Amino acid sequence: MYSNARGSRLPLAFNLVSIFSLFLIIGLPVISVVLFAIFPSFNELSFARPFSNFIPQFSNPHLLTSTLNTLRLAFSVTLMSIMIAVILAYLRSRMHDHYGRIWDVLFLIPFLIPPYIASMAWIQMFQFNGFFYQWFDLNLSGFLFSFSGVVFVMTLHLFPLIYFAAVNAFKVVGNRYSDVAKIYGAGSVQIAFRILLPLIVPTLLSTGLIVFALTIEEFGTPDILGSRFGFSVLVTSIEEKLTDWPIDLPGASVLSLLLITIAISVYLIQIAISKRYTDSVDNQTMASKPLNHKGFMLVSHGIFFFVAVFTVVVPLFSILTSSMMQTMSRGLHWNNLSLEAYQTLFSLDDGALDAIYTSLTLALMTALITAVIGMLVAFTLIRLKPKGHKILDALSLLPNAMPAMVLSVGLILTWNQKFLPVTPYNTLFILLLAYTCLMLSYPIRMLTAAMKQLPASLDEAAAIYGADLLLIARRILFPLLIPISVAAGCIVFAISTRELVASLILAPAGTETVATYVFNQFDQGSVSSGMAMSFVVIVVSGMLIALGQLLAKRHAR
Amino acid sequence: MKFMHLISVLALSGAVLNAQAETITVYSAGPKGLSKSLVKNFEKDSGIKVDLYQATGGKIMSRYQAEKSNPHVDVMISSSLGHAITLTKAGELLPYQSPNAKNVPDFLKSDTYVSQGAAVLAIAYNTQSTLPEPKLWSDLTKPEYKNQITMPDPSKSGSALTLVEGLTEKMGDDAWTLFSGLKQNDILIPGANKAALNPVLQGAKSVVFGAVDYIALGLKKKGETLNVIYPEDGTVLAPRPIMILKSTQHADASKRFVDYILSNKGQNMVSNTLILPARTDISTSRPGFDDLKLITFDQMTAAAHAQATKNKFASIMGQ
């Protein structure tokens, strides 16, 4: 299709750059982990006793239980997230944009709340003697400390990922198909199931895959809630090898291979399913028109409000009150409230402000870098389809499926070598690299899904008029994808500001990020300081994201 | 402007060639305030620069292991004696006897490590509870404490493991009977130390079996309704070992840092964190060596069959 001379060299360049950057950022640490699993002394650069670690690791009787628990949890969370996200995204597509945008910003907040803090918040709400017990005489600890409770907390945290992508998908689908169907006498249920759903299936599958991968990798929630009722997943078993004496890094790497296998299998299943549904919209449609039905709008906003109470209001309330309680044991009373934690936070010698500054800067840089690489990779994967593009695609998923702790070990193994003339290790750049590696899959998934939906007829039309590939990309494809890269960038920013595990293990000496500060406070300091820090960062990041959205909107005009 | 400043710091931090001062790297398992003030004052007094990496005991060990091919750390301060024993067996520690360690009791040091101080294992009790204050470990097996007890998990907390080892060492089979009794009382074992303490602070439960005392004492000082009880039938210490790595390029500077932690100044900083200072001649505002009834046992032997101890405990608790 793109046949002129300039065009033939360009795809090659795009391919090489994409492959090289993904390999450098993700490939190397993953390969290190795999090598470490095979060669248990790889951390000393010795290749002795290959595979000697497999049998002892796999003969652990608990392994099967945790593997099955991992799968059960991941499927449940993914399905629940898809369900909630689709319903909300559909309602959102029928709303006026300026109301809808408020909900969009609100639903970014669950990402800003670290899962382990959200879990603590829910414990404070639901446990015996907790807030719900004091206010409504409800003791929901039986629900919270159960499989359903873990699914509940994780779904509330992850469904927005699918929601954002689905909102965009509905936008691209637009209303014309439904209008046509209506003319032919289809009912709204029929339209939903026969037209809208199939059209957004690719999006749901690709973001559902991320939610799945994130669930199998999530440590905080299963650890905090699951350890209360003897529920263990693979990641908690892996984390034990890395934190409990005796430390067993190679063992953790071996178990990570299981997670990699699960993720790749699910990825292949996803490809198989999406082959059956390759409905792409073959012409650019106009944006959907909001519905002006008062009753319907009231009900939609009511539903959104209900979800927002659970995903945003309750956790934030809990974080805010914890940060303002002078002592935990005296509970929520006027005479126990103080702003002391906030005063400590803003005193200069505490290091909190430096931590906030470090985290926000790193998060911003990560968001920019991943958005650019994501755009490049999505374009390469979808429009150029090089040989082996599936490998690239799968590679981008792996960091989500591997525990961040193991990936951090992989990064140390990769970059802490004597023979490297320059290395990011022991500088802030290693954190930037780690965040980029961990976050790359969001923009890649979101942008590839969106790029798939952009009709090829766009390119063809432009090509007929003599535009070469670069021009098509620059003038047509990239501008259309700007809103999605901004959305992806916001998600990356939100998650980066609170990334804990990699920050904890990779931080150069003397550097603290927001999450490590909070963690140290929880571990041996004061819970109220940790909560105050979390609250401040949620507010600041939320404002920055809202600002980013605003600028993007301006730009889009 | 500030952003540009950060970029330049980023660029400069890559070049760690600091010609003036010798620099040592310290990995410490907290508490953060203590590590920071030790490092700051040592830098001031000695002119040696310190790069401090601060995390949990498990994380510093993981980082050390992952860095094996190109080690960075000179001195490690861990919260778990198990780490010191493992590294001693592997021959990775530099033997050193600090002149300041004269008054450190033998069970808190060896040729390869010396304790900075120790946490004492105790019962933490929320004074808002209507239950009677327990006096003995075994009091908590009484029916009135049913559903009111938490405990840190020995497989996740080095100090809780030390307690289980100490009690089994002293009481033999009676210790296992005690643990079964706790299980009958539906003891909650939710994870590491902080996870066990939070439900008691929030009033969902009343008592922690095996709390790390300095954390509980610190919270009490802040106004939490907590009491720290040292059971009359004796308790155990969880030492916090300081180790110098054999791979160090700065042995002398590292030794000076260890000496500093064991100096009067350093030990007072330890005592201010409400950790029991390692030296018996340091006066402290918290319960000291003379006020505590300690169970001492051979930690080396206990470490050799730690896994069996953990497994037996887990099977009693139905984990």
Side-chain angles (χ1 to χ4, degrees):
Chain A
M1 189 167 91
Y2 315 108
S3 57
N4 58 39
R6 190 168 154 214
S8 66
R9 273 203 313 275
L10 259 170
L12 191 68
F14 268 93
N15 277 348
L16 285 176
V17 172
S18 308
I19 290 168
F20 179 74
S21 50
L22 280 196
F23 178 76
L24 194 74
I25 296 166
I26 298 172
L28 286 174
V30 171
I31 290 168
S32 295
V33 170
V34 173
L35 284 174
F36 201 11
I38 298 172
F39 305 103
S41 306
F42 182 65
N43 59 333
E44 302 171 50
L45 284 188
S46 132
F47 293 90
R49 297 171 298 129
F51 295 103
S52 59
N53 220 326
F54 279 55
I55 306 240
Q57 295 298 344
F58 287 136
S59 56
N60 181 342
H62 286 298
L63 194 61
L64 187 64
T65 328
S66 7
T67 309
L68 290 177
N69 280 345
T70 297
L71 289 170
R72 208 158 57 106
L73 185 66
F75 278 115
S76 311
V77 171
T78 310
L79 289 177
M80 291 293 294
S81 301
I82 287 180
M83 227 170 63
I84 294 174
V86 168
I87 293 170
L88 290 178
Y90 175 71
L91 296 176
R92 166 75 176 82
S93 71
R94 316 307 308 263
M95 268 181 205
H96 278 287
D97 243 358
H98 64 260
Y99 294 123
R101 228 180 285 278
I102 299 169
W103 294 121
D104 289 354
V105 171
L106 269 182
F107 284 162
L108 263 170
I109 294 177
F111 283 124
L112 295 166
I113 304 172
Y116 63 94
I117 290 190
S119 308
M120 283 170 79
W122 286 109
I123 289 177
Q124 191 182 31
M125 288 287 159
F126 282 0
Q127 75 182 352
F128 174 72
N129 247 342
F131 290 164
F132 272 57
Y133 185 81
Q134 291 167 24
W135 300 332
F136 320 113
D137 221 4
L138 271 177
N139 178 8
L140 292 169
S141 57
F143 162 73
L144 184 64
F145 301 123
S146 75
F147 180 73
S148 319
V150 180
V151 173
F152 165 80
V153 173
M154 290 187 68
T155 304
L156 291 188
H157 174 63
L158 291 172
F159 87 86
L161 251 181
I162 303 180
Y163 164 83
F164 290 119
V167 166
N168 275 315
F170 274 126
K171 266 194 192 137
V172 175
V173 170
N175 270 354
R176 282 178 48 191
Y177 292 92
S178 333
D179 292 344
V180 171
K182 268 201 195 108
I183 290 165
Y184 285 97
S188 53
V189 174
Q190 211 178 350
I191 290 174
F193 276 93
R194 301 294 298 278
I195 295 177
L196 295 176
L197 256 181
L199 283 171
I200 64 163
V201 159
T203 304
L204 294 184
L205 281 174
S206 61
T207 45
L209 182 66
I210 288 205
V211 169
F212 188 94
L214 277 175
T215 311
I216 61 177
E217 187 266 344
E218 167 60 29
F219 169 70
T221 310
D223 179 54
I224 292 175
L225 298 177
S227 55
R228 298 284 291 261
F229 62 102
F231 177 78
S232 71
V233 289
L234 266 176
V235 180
T236 47
S237 321
I238 290 174
E239 208 74 14
E240 270 166 25
K241 296 191 179 297
L242 290 162
T243 46
D244 307 343
W245 177 79
I247 302 281
D248 178 11
L249 298 188
S253 308
V254 171
L255 295 192
S256 299
L257 293 189
L258 262 182
L259 287 172
I260 292 179
T261 314
I262 292 174
I264 290 183
S265 317
V266 172
Y267 170 76
L268 294 174
I269 293 170
Q270 182 240 349
I271 288 180
I273 298 176
S274 54
K275 275 230 173 74
R276 292 191 42 204
Y277 289 98
T278 43
D279 281 331
S280 76
V281 190
D282 63 356
N283 62 19
Q284 191 55 17
T285 50
M286 46 197 188
S288 61
K289 273 205 303 286
L291 214 65
N292 276 331
H293 189 288
K294 272 244 161 56
F296 181 77
M297 278 301 108
L298 263 175
V299 171
S300 309
H301 284 295
I303 293 173
F304 268 78
F305 179 77
F306 178 76
V307 175
V309 164
F310 275 91
T311 50
V312 180
V313 180
V314 170
L316 282 186
F317 172 83
S318 172
I319 292 170
L320 189 62
T321 49
S322 310
S323 72
M324 289 170 63
M325 281 199 270
Q326 208 154 3
T327 59
M328 253 168 120
S329 48
R330 292 176 205 271
L332 201 50
H333 292 291
W334 288 114
N335 55 10
N336 189 30
L337 289 183
S338 87
L339 290 172
E340 207 183 314
Y342 290 89
Q343 285 160 357
T344 328
L345 207 60
F346 291 111
S347 70
L348 285 170
D349 58 345
D350 187 50
L353 294 177
D354 291 342
I356 293 178
Y357 182 64
T358 306
S359 274
L360 290 182
T361 312
L362 282 170
L364 189 67
M365 287 162 91
T366 309
L368 290 173
I369 293 173
T370 51
V372 170
I373 298 180
M375 198 78 109
L376 185 81
V377 172
F379 180 68
T380 309
L381 287 179
I382 303 301
R383 285 294 192 263
L384 305 176
K385 290 212 175 62
K387 279 200 181 68
H389 67 98
K390 286 205 173 78
I391 295 173
L392 271 188
D393 203 19
L395 194 61
S396 72
L397 181 74
L398 290 186
N400 281 146
M402 288 169 78
M405 185 95 185
V406 176
L407 206 68
S408 308
V409 169
L411 281 162
I412 296 181
L413 292 174
T414 307
W415 297 107
N416 180 41
Q417 297 299 354
K418 283 202 174 85
F419 55 79
L420 291 172
V422 272
T423 172
Y425 190 57
N426 256 331
T427 73
L428 275 175
F429 282 111
I430 193 76
L431 287 181
L432 189 60
L433 190 67
Y435 292 178
T436 306
C437 174
L438 289 166
M439 313 289 165
L440 247 181
S441 57
Y442 307 103
I444 290 180
R445 300 278 131 199
M446 288 168 82
L447 288 164
T448 43
M451 187 91 76
K452 266 203 189 106
Q453 279 193 318
L454 291 179
S457 53
L458 279 182
D459 307 35
E460 285 152 11
I464 288 168
Y465 285 100
D468 67 12
L469 184 65
L470 198 60
L471 196 66
I472 294 171
R474 210 179 62 209
R475 300 290 297 277
I476 299 172
L477 299 177
F478 290 174
L480 282 172
L481 291 176
I482 289 255
I484 304 196
S485 10
V486 172
C490 287
I491 288 171
V492 169
F493 180 86
I495 299 179
S496 307
T497 50
R498 57 156 187 83
E499 201 292 327
L500 172 68
V501 180
S503 315
L504 211 51
I505 198 149
L506 294 171
T511 305
E512 277 209 282
T513 68
V514 167
T516 60
Y517 177 94
V518 171
F519 181 84
N520 281 323
Q521 288 293 1
F522 282 167
D523 193 44
Q524 303 204 356
S526 87
V527 172
S528 57
S529 297
M531 288 291 191
M533 178 71 150
S534 300
F535 190 75
V536 167
V537 172
I538 289 166
V539 170
V540 172
S541 323
M543 287 187 328
L544 287 171
I545 286 170
L547 187 76
Q549 297 275 28
L550 203 72
L551 292 176
K553 201 174 91 186
R554 289 253 171 88
H555 181 90
R557 287 182 191 154
Chain B
M1 196 57 241
K2 233 188 145 183
F3 181 77
M4 287 317 292
H5 167 76
L6 187 87
I7 295 284
S8 61
V9 170
L10 274 174
L12 282 174
S13 58
V16 206
L17 292 167
N18 195 338
Q20 290 94 30
E22 189 171 17
T23 305
I24 58 168
T25 304
V26 174
Y27 288 4
S28 163
K32 195 174 84 182
L34 175 61
S35 328
K36 270 186 157 171
S37 62
L38 280 170
V39 162
K40 212 160 58 196
N41 287 293
F42 172 70
E43 283 182 330
K44 214 168 55 205
D45 291 7
S46 68
I48 295 167
K49 219 178 127 339
V50 179
D51 278 338
L52 173 68
Y53 166 67
Q54 156 82 49
T56 58
K59 296 267 189 302
I60 63 175
M61 275 300 273
S62 290
R63 179 153 158 162
Y64 165 74
Q65 299 280 13
E67 287 174 342
K68 271 260 175 79
S69 68
N70 182 13
H72 298 278
V73 56
D74 301 301
V75 180
M76 226 182 320
I77 305 170
S78 168
S79 52
S80 159
L81 191 64
H83 295 162
I85 293 173
T86 308
L87 294 180
T88 304
K89 277 196 184 129
E92 290 168 28
L93 298 180
L94 188 79
Y96 177 58
Q97 293 284 339
S98 170
N100 294 350
K102 259 205 318 287
N103 289 323
V104 175
D106 280 347
F107 59 88
L108 291 180
K109 65 184 179 196
S110 79
D111 1 341
T112 47
Y113 71 86
V114 57
S115 299
Q116 167 197 43
V120 188
L121 277 292
I123 292 175
Y125 167 87
N126 189 331
T127 53
Q128 293 180 60
S129 146
T130 51
L131 299 171
E133 279 209 3
K135 299 259 182 298
L136 305 167
W137 294 114
S138 53
D139 282 353
L140 294 180
T141 58
K142 291 177 181 166
E144 62 250 50
Y145 292 100
K146 193 171 177 73
N147 236 330
Q148 290 299 317
I149 323 159
T150 68
M151 176 181 176
D153 189 340
S155 73
K156 293 196 166 107
S157 153
S159 52
L161 177 65
T162 309
L163 177 63
V164 172
E165 286 170 340
L167 291 179
T168 48
E169 201 69 29
K170 179 177 180 255
M171 303 153 82
D173 278 346
D174 290 355
W176 297 112
T177 315
L178 166 74
F179 298 137
S180 306
L182 293 174
K183 172 67 185 168
Q184 305 238 292
N185 262 348
D186 287 333
I187 189 167
L188 172 69
I189 304 181
N193 297 322
K194 209 54 199 245
L197 192 56
N198 280 341
V200 171
L201 280 172
Q202 293 176 329
K205 305 277 177 187
S206 307
V207 195
V208 186
F209 180 99
V212 172
D213 71 336
Y214 73 88
I215 292 178
L217 289 169
L219 289 168
K220 183 183 172 180
K221 206 167 156 183
K222 265 190 59 188
E224 298 286 1
T225 55
L226 270 188
N227 245 353
V228 179
I229 300 156
Y230 299 101
E232 292 161 11
D233 37 357
T235 179
V236 298
L237 292 184
R240 304 172 59 82
I242 316 169
M243 304 155 263
I244 301 177
L245 281 300
K246 224 179 215 152
S247 56
T248 179
Q249 303 290 314
H250 310 280
D252 287 342
S254 302
K255 286 173 181 173
R256 284 180 64 186
F257 184 60
V258 175
D259 295 349
Y260 188 84
I261 300 176
L262 293 168
S263 69
N264 287 343
K265 252 192 190 171
Q267 286 289 287
N268 282 326
M269 286 179 216
V270 172
S271 148
N272 288 340
T273 348
L274 302 174
I275 292 174
L276 178 70
R279 274 171 50 183
T280 48
D281 59 328
I282 297 283
S283 63
T284 162
S285 62
R286 47 144 302 139
F289 282 100
D290 303 339
D291 316 304
L292 297 165
K293 191 173 165 209
L294 294 179
I295 302 169
T296 49
F297 60 102
D298 182 357
Q299 306 230 18
M300 280 289 189
T301 321
H305 47 83
Q307 198 53 52
T309 311
K310 279 195 257 188
N311 293 347
K312 190 167 177 182
F313 183 88
S315 73
I316 285 181
M317 293 300 169
Q319 290 170 320

